[in-house]
Amino acid sequence: MKFIKTEMLFIWLIILFSIKGTSVLGDLGCIPRQGDPGQGYVCVCNSTYCDTIERPTPLPLGHYHWYSTSNSTPGFSHTTGTFMNVSFDNVTDVVFKINTSVRFQEIIGYGASFTDTSGIHLASLPTGAQNNMIESYFGTSGIEYNLGRLPIGGTDFSPRPYTLDDVPFDERPPILQSYIPFIKKAMSVSERGIKLIGCTWMAPAWMKDNDNNHSGYVRAKYLRTWAQYHIKFLEAYQKLGMDIWALSGGNEVMLSMVLPIALNSLNSTLVTAPIQRLWLKEHLKPLLLASNFSNVKFVALDDARVFAPYWLSRFAEDPEVYQYLDGVALHWYFDWLSSPSILTGLHQDFPDKMIMYTESSINFEPISKYLGPWIVAATYSYNLIENLNHWAQTYMDWNLAVDHEGGPSLGLDVAGAVVVNKTSGEFYKQPVFYALGHFSKFIPPGSKRLQVESNQKKTPRADVIFMSMMKHPEEDAELYSSAGASPDPWQFLPSVVDCLATTNSDGSYTIIVHSTRNETAHVTVEVSDHGYIEVDIEAYSINTFVYWL
């Protein structure tokens, strides 16, 4: 990959600061670098420099901040604008009406997972670059993640399969993972606080009916021991000053059951809803209530949403254990097999339970191994808006960092929001980093979704589009690897502009408008009893408007 000379980088900085007008005082601009052939840009960070994005400052009534990121303008561009009292434009082709008096679910937050792979890559960087990455994710000048998924033992993004107790009936404290210092750094720079969610991939082999790392159930005689394993995990991390906010019942406990061949290489544990319900009722919850961890929440499933109605209905059959269930954890994989209306159904049937997305990633080659793929940012943004508009309360990426190959992993490599180059001591913020940042930065925890009406027809789901795009991976790989090739993956995406609106816990309001169009879209946003925003939205872009009433 060709590197841009230092002096050219600073010229780019000057250009980027002048794009779209005013820049927020204190913001540092993206240092752009062209990604792989046919892709967009990444933003380069090292020990001495990394772009920043400060929180929006309150503006007078009738004014708004406008933050944008696109395939051609990496990072965050920023300007301000003024609401119009009347919409004079009769040629607007996209209209969104925001009703600020109709409010829905509370947003808990956004984040990613502290995997071994992420810890390995962070540790490979110089201290200054480590600090810049942590600040970029969790600090006030970054995108301010407030959720962290914490594996209890190894995952498929670990150097090897392992648990925290591979020695049968070991009474020693569990072995703690190497990413702990980075969790502490994240906690030290975060003003919003970080909720940690513990999740197991694999029970110790000696507890399982197949005595190995793959699939297999926990033997009935060890269900109590399996619950004690979780208590020991909570105790060990509490001693280090890290309280766990929630536990899930295990990673992808059903997907490994229905796709055993495809996922046979992954370390996992199987469980059905009735077994997990029994385990929570008779073992885990009694131990939690008898310990210092009675306030730790429990979320079921941690798997594809297509399984969620079955899972929650089984818990609801037992009112006693149902009261111990705080919500359901979902992964975006295979969302294309089901309608997002499933989420609305979950909220209607189980209104007191949280709906949390706890893992997302793109694991299709060649996209998963590229620098600068805007298609990943677009797919995430589409899915985020879709799920948040159907009652989801959290959204979490997978690894905090991967290498250029999307790993290392024990199975499928994935695209990452941050790619680390340990040889040069740099890390690269991918377009999807900023896509996620439009949500995590400008919709703080405790915000609530607002009603949005649109003049657009219903469009296909992003996951369906993405899967159709990957029907011919060998041809796509050849196309993308051709020197000088300029593939157009957007031919598979619908020409659509979608929208999410929130009233925020800090007193502000946020409107996110995302376009997958290959042309400028003229958009009018009508805010009830306030006025109109009329703007031209750049092709392939994510735009956030923040204002105060």
Side-chain angles (χ1 to χ4, degrees):
M1 190 168 53
K2 189 174 181 180
F3 290 85
I4 299 174
K5 293 182 179 180
T6 303
E7 58 268 29
M8 291 302 296
L9 296 177
F10 286 98
I11 292 174
W12 260 97
L13 271 178
I14 295 171
I15 294 173
L16 286 175
F17 269 113
S18 65
I19 290 175
K20 288 187 177 292
T22 22
S23 238
V24 175
L25 182 64
D27 279 352
L28 299 177
C30 161
I31 296 181
R33 182 174 295 170
Q34 177 66 54
D36 288 317
Q39 307 305 309
Y41 295 89
V42 297
C43 295
V44 182
C45 294
N46 54 36
S47 291
T48 58
Y49 190 93
C50 198
D51 58 300
T52 60
I53 181 69
E54 300 295 335
R55 291 176 181 172
T57 54
L59 294 175
L61 186 68
H63 296 263
Y64 59 81
H65 291 281
W66 179 6
Y67 299 89
S68 65
T69 306
S70 76
N71 192 36
S72 58
T73 55
F76 290 105
S77 298
H78 174 232
T79 188
T80 57
T82 305
F83 279 88
M84 301 173 61
N85 292 325
V86 179
S87 177
F88 294 104
D89 198 327
N90 295 321
V91 298
T92 295
D93 61 341
V94 179
V95 177
F96 296 110
K97 294 184 177 181
I98 314 299
N99 190 337
T100 58
S101 64
V102 180
R103 304 180 178 190
F104 301 102
Q105 81 274 22
E106 181 176 307
I107 304 300
I108 296 171
Y110 309 86
S113 293
F114 290 93
T115 60
D116 287 319
T117 289
S118 299
I120 289 168
H121 290 312
L122 267 162
S124 73
L125 291 170
T127 301
Q130 292 177 13
N131 293 338
N132 280 335
M133 189 192 299
I134 294 297
E135 176 66 24
S136 291
Y137 269 126
F138 299 97
T140 55
S141 67
I143 61 175
E144 298 199 69
Y145 276 0
N146 72 303
L147 299 177
R149 193 163 175 236
L150 182 57
I152 305 175
T155 73
D156 46 309
F157 279 80
S158 298
R160 59 181 177 82
Y162 73 93
T163 73
L164 300 183
D165 193 2
D166 287 326
V167 179
F169 305 106
D170 189 358
E171 293 301 321
R172 294 173 296 175
I175 299 171
L176 299 177
Q177 286 105 323
S178 58
Y179 44 71
I180 287 175
F182 303 115
I183 300 177
K184 289 188 172 183
K185 281 188 178 182
M187 294 171 69
S188 71
V189 303
S190 172
E191 284 192 5
R192 293 177 177 173
I194 301 174
K195 289 180 168 65
L196 296 174
I197 304 166
C199 175
T200 56
W201 266 244
M202 179 179 63
W206 55 270
M207 291 187 194
K208 296 169 68 176
D209 62 352
N210 59 357
D211 297 305
N212 65 40
N213 299 326
H214 308 310
S215 301
Y217 297 85
V218 174
R219 290 186 173 97
K221 66 179 180 179
Y222 289 136
L223 287 176
R224 186 83 173 176
T225 308
W226 183 222
Q228 291 169 335
Y229 175 96
H230 285 74
I231 298 297
K232 288 180 68 176
F233 161 79
L234 296 173
E235 290 172 343
Y237 276 81
Q238 187 180 67
K239 288 179 180 178
L240 293 172
M242 291 179 282
D243 291 323
I244 306 301
W245 176 68
L247 292 172
S248 82
N251 179 74
E252 295 178 357
V253 292
M254 287 206 68
L255 198 59
S256 298
M257 189 184 305
V258 299
L259 294 174
I261 297 177
L263 300 176
N264 191 47
S265 62
L266 304 184
N267 40 334
S268 60
T269 301
L270 303 179
V271 66
T272 64
I275 292 174
Q276 190 173 90
R277 183 183 66 194
L278 172 73
W279 178 68
L280 176 62
K281 178 180 179 178
E282 297 188 1
H283 303 291
L284 181 62
K285 193 62 181 183
L287 290 179
L288 288 172
L289 293 174
S291 69
N292 295 325
F293 309 109
S294 59
N295 62 337
V296 172
K297 300 183 183 301
F298 182 83
V299 290
L301 190 57
D302 232 348
D303 211 332
R305 75 181 179 204
V306 70
F307 304 125
Y310 152 75
W311 210 268
L312 288 187
S313 65
R314 291 299 178 271
F315 271 80
E317 290 173 351
D318 186 335
E320 182 181 351
V321 72
Y322 182 77
Q323 67 178 324
Y324 298 148
L325 181 67
D326 294 286
V328 61
L330 306 175
H331 295 187
W332 86 331
Y333 312 111
F334 302 102
D335 269 8
W336 56 279
L337 287 175
S338 61
S339 167
S341 62
I342 283 182
L343 304 181
T344 300
L346 290 176
H347 172 74
Q348 291 172 344
D349 294 340
F350 314 101
D352 57 332
K353 306 306 178 188
M354 298 182 293
I355 300 176
M356 303 170 57
Y357 267 77
T358 53
E359 185 179 319
S360 305
S361 67
I362 299 288
N363 53 23
F364 300 109
E365 293 189 33
I367 299 294
S368 60
K369 298 183 184 296
Y370 281 152
L371 285 179
W374 184 259
I375 186 67
V376 177
T379 308
Y380 265 68
S381 298
Y382 195 114
N383 194 259
L384 263 158
I385 291 176
E386 176 183 81
N387 288 321
L388 291 171
N389 276 331
H390 288 83
W391 296 95
Q393 294 174 269
T394 73
Y395 202 91
M396 300 184 71
D397 195 16
W398 188 195
N399 299 277
L400 285 169
V402 296
D403 60 22
H404 199 168
E405 295 300 312
S409 74
L410 298 177
L412 296 172
D413 295 328
V414 300
V418 165
V419 173
V420 169
N421 183 342
K422 66 178 181 181
T423 302
S424 63
E426 298 174 327
F427 63 92
Y428 313 125
K429 296 178 182 177
Q430 299 263 53
V432 68
F433 174 91
Y434 299 96
L436 286 160
H438 275 267
F439 297 84
S440 63
K441 183 70 178 183
F442 305 118
I443 304 178
S447 302
K448 291 188 176 181
R449 176 170 64 92
L450 297 175
Q451 183 184 67
V452 178
E453 296 180 349
S454 173
N455 66 341
Q456 293 188 111
K457 295 180 180 179
K458 186 177 180 181
T459 57
R461 295 192 302 278
D463 300 89
V464 176
I465 308 300
F466 195 89
M467 291 297 293
S468 68
M469 174 181 153
M470 301 309 295
K471 283 182 178 178
H472 307 287
E474 293 182 2
E475 296 175 16
D476 290 343
E478 182 179 354
L479 175 64
Y480 276 72
S481 61
S482 301
S486 298
D488 183 19
W490 299 95
Q491 63 183 300
F492 300 99
L493 284 170
S495 181
V496 63
V497 182
D498 48 2
C499 179
L500 173 75
T502 60
T503 175
N504 301 329
S505 54
D506 62 0
S508 65
Y509 291 77
T510 294
I511 301 168
I512 297 178
V513 179
H514 168 231
S515 176
T516 59
R517 291 189 177 184
N518 189 21
E519 59 185 3
T520 300
H522 193 70
V523 176
T524 295
V525 180
E526 178 183 349
V527 179
S528 57
D529 302 322
H530 190 58
Y532 301 83
I533 297 173
E534 287 199 2
V535 290
D536 288 325
I537 297 296
E538 188 178 354
Y540 309 146
S541 66
I542 305 167
N543 304 266
T544 297
F545 304 92
V546 181
Y547 61 96
W548 281 258
L549 295 180

